[in-house]
Each structure stands twice: as structure tokens, then as C-alpha cells.
Amino acid sequence: MDKLLITGGRPLRGEVAISGAKNAALPCLCAALLTADTVTLENVPQLNDIGTTLKLLRRIGVKAERDTTDHGEDGSSVVLAADQVQALEAPYELVKTMRASILVLGPMLARFGEARVSLPGGCAIGQRPVDQHIKGLAAMGADISIEHGFVVARAKRLQGAVIRTDMVTVTGTENLLMAAVLAEGRTVLENAAREPEVVDLAELLIAMGARISGHGTDRIVVEGVQRLHGATHRVMPDRIEAGTFLCAVGAAGGEIVLRNVAPGSMGATLDKLRQAGLAVECGPDWIRAGMPGRPRAVDFRTQEYPGFATDMQAQLMALNAIADGTAVITETIFENRYMHVQELRRMGADIDIDGHTAVVRGVPRLSGAAVMATDLRASASLVIAGLMAEGETLVDRIYHLDRGYESMERKLLQLGADIRRVAGSWQ
């Protein structure tokens, strides 16, 4: 099993290009099920979760091919055609590793009138039930049951409805949005997620002929249409990857430039990093950032967008671990998202947990150690800790990292980090 071996203490300097957003690409890939025409997605990252989704779509019967570069390597564009869908089922062996697989439910039900989707898996960071998806589809007239671990849904044609979810749910909003575009009549999604990735999906659907308004607010209105057509769409940059690299330079020191970014989607992250002392300059699609000295401790509370993203909590906690002062962190989204704390403590971090609150007392330095990643963003926090620690850090179970970060070690090498991928035990 691959691991990352990091020798800390090197400031980061140089430029890197940020990849397309995993959390935007996944629903966009599933949206191809809504039409028999060709859908072309550009700026699609090469990640394990993307590969799993392409396998799932191919199993259903979608033709899905990546382009190739002049050197014969996979490119960043994916061409999809769902004109010969054969099996309206998402099996457990493909769904169990990735919760986003539930996103095929709405499109299949809307276009074909039935779907059978295994209940999903993903990172073990807490309960993420799909009951809001089911509640919304039932309100649109679907007959839904849970049979042998599968969500089984049927409907002759979905009907527009007013749907208010009990909580803000990103994948729930995306699933119901995709279902609503082919429903008969008007659908109103109240308490909708406002995340940029939801807006990105809506823009693709509009390019395919959907009639959507209000995306980016908590009330999305959809006027159903009979059919959608093909489109070409460029997936938005990954704001979480960009934020992770900014936390890395804040922790390790130096100055970097990020290309292919969308600073307008990163307001809460940039605000907190500036409070921590990071010098940040933004352009239309670039960010220049440097840390002139030791970072300052910064309190934050995770919230739905436009608040501070739960997907950035672990990375900013790692920065706080060596900051000047004490930071209080409150996690409001997932109940098990402090599993990285024990690993940071192994490296010398001073962190106490009380329920949903973490108190981080900054220490002058961390020391390298063998640590284990427990989920996607936890693995990124341990990489950041390794970059700033004294000595060597070995991060195990980095398959979590490969689910959401495209070639992280290669990009860090471009910035001057001492990092390499190794197999087997620490030599």
C-alpha cells in the first residue's frame, strides 16, 4: 500500500495549477444520464473517485471516454453518451467506496422511470443519510422502497413539487435538481445548498436545455422540460485543493502562485487565512500567497456555504497546530470529523476535544512521525503537518488522498517540498 514520505522544514516556492473540482465533476458526470446526446466535460481531474464514477456509468451503459495527450496519457476531458443505457442499477461493489454514487438516482429515475441504487459508502466521518433525497423524490411522485440494501425507485414521470429539505444537503440538492429538470411542471427546492459546485451543475444543466433559476441561493426554481440535449462544459476549479495548498504555504512558509483557481468561491477560506497572517493577492484566476513569519491562531466554525467549509477544517487545524496562540474550532457538519487529531498529537500537536469543539494550542514545532490517514481531508492535514515538521513523516493509507487530490506529491515537488511516494514499510 502506497505511503508518502515527507522530510519537513522546506519553504514552498513556485507555481502550481489547481485541478478541476471533484465535488463539481461527480454530479456533472452523472448529469450525462439525462440525455441521449453527447456531453463533453473539460477540466475533469484524474482521481480515484472520478475513475469509480466512470466505471459505474459504464456499468449502467454510458459510453465514457477520456481524451489523450500527445504523449498518450489520459487528458482532462471526458466525452459521455447515454444513448444505449442497459442496466438501471448501481451495484454495491462500485457504490460502497463513494457516497456520491447516489447521484445517479435522480437522473435515472427522471429519464427512465426507474432506478436501483445501492446505499452508499465513502469516508467514515459521520452519518450522511440519503433520507432527504428519498423524501424529495417521493414528493415528486416516486414510489420508493429500501430492498436488500438498495434504494429502489419508480415513477412514470416525476411531477413538480415544492420540496423543503430538513437540512442543507449538497448531494441532496444536486440529486433533486437533476430529477426536477425532466419532471412535469415546476419544482421549487427550498433550503437548497448554495455551494459553488451546485451552481456549476446548474450551469451545465442550463447548457443542456434545462430551465433553472435561483441557483446559488437557498431557493432554486426548476421548470421541467420534455428532453435535454448535449453540451460542452468546463468543470470549475477545486476550491478545496486551492485552500489546502494555501494552508500548506501558511504552515511551511515561502511564497506560491496558484493558477486555474476561482478566488470568488473561496471567501471564507481566504478571510481566515488572512487572519492567520497569510499575505494573499488575488486575480481573476490566480492567487499569490506567502507567509512572512509564524502564523497566528485563528478561531473558526464550519458551516454550509458561504460559511467556512467542513472540507477545510482539518487543513486549517494543522496550520493552527504551530500558530502563535490558541484557536477554538467548532465542527457543525459531521460528528466524526476530528479523527485526524490523534495523529496530529503523535507529531506533538497540543489539541483537546470536547464534543464538537477542538481547542488547539500552538506549539513552536511539530516532529515527524509515522501517521495514518483516516479520511480524505484528514490525509491532507497530515501532509501539511509533515511539510512543517522536523524530520521525516510517513503518511499511511494515502488512498484516501488519491480520492480527492490529483498528483498532490508531484505538485508539492514543483514547489520544492521533499516528498515522495513509497510502497511497503518505512525504510
Side-chain angles (χ1 to χ4, degrees), residues 123-261:
C123 286
I125 57 177
Q127 297 182 31
R128 299 195 283 186
V130 298
D131 59 319
Q132 299 303 303
H133 306 234
I134 294 171
K135 171 187 172 182
L137 292 172
M140 298 170 73
D143 179 15
I144 301 179
S145 59
I146 306 297
E147 302 175 9
H148 308 292
F150 282 80
V151 179
V152 180
R154 296 179 178 86
K156 288 185 178 179
R157 186 181 180 188
L158 294 174
Q159 302 296 308
V162 177
I163 303 168
R164 181 177 179 83
T165 53
D166 297 333
M167 64 195 73
V168 177
T169 161
V170 175
T171 54
T173 299
E174 291 166 342
N175 231 342
L176 297 175
L177 177 61
M178 287 189 282
V181 295
L182 291 181
E184 184 175 10
R186 170 181 288 192
T187 299
V188 180
L189 303 180
E190 301 276 10
N191 202 29
R194 301 161 62 184
E195 270 71 5
E197 294 80 9
V198 174
V199 176
D200 200 58
L201 171 63
E203 292 299 328
L204 166 61
L205 295 172
I206 291 168
M208 294 169 66
R211 298 171 62 191
I212 302 170
S213 61
H215 45 298
T217 76
D218 61 2
R219 185 177 188 270
I220 302 176
V221 179
V222 184
E223 301 287 350
V225 298
Q226 284 288 339
R227 65 178 299 274
L228 298 181
H229 52 72
T232 298
H233 175 74
R234 183 173 179 82
V235 174
M236 67 172 288
D238 194 326
R239 60 192 174 103
I240 304 302
E241 184 191 13
T244 299
F245 275 92
L246 294 178
C247 284
V249 73
E255 182 175 290
I256 63 173
V257 176
L258 305 181
R259 304 289 183 187
N260 186 38
V261 292

Side-chain angles (χ1 to χ4, degrees), residues 91-121:
Y92 176 69
E93 63 265 25
L94 289 176
V95 173
K96 64 182 179 180
T97 63
M98 191 183 67
R99 175 177 174 268
S101 301
I102 195 69
L103 288 169
V104 300
L105 176 62
M108 283 200 296
L109 181 60
R111 182 172 164 214
F112 301 105
E114 61 179 287
R116 190 169 185 267
V117 180
S118 175
L119 290 167

Side-chain angles (χ1 to χ4, degrees), residues 4-43:
L4 285 180
L5 181 60
I6 307 166
T7 302
R10 289 192 177 187
L12 302 180
R13 302 189 188 280
E15 295 188 5
V16 290
I18 296 301
S19 300
K22 176 188 82 117
N23 290 339
L26 294 175
C28 287
L29 289 169
C30 295
L33 285 163
L34 290 164
T35 178
D37 295 345
T38 299
V39 174
T40 301
L41 299 179
E42 301 171 344
N43 200 35

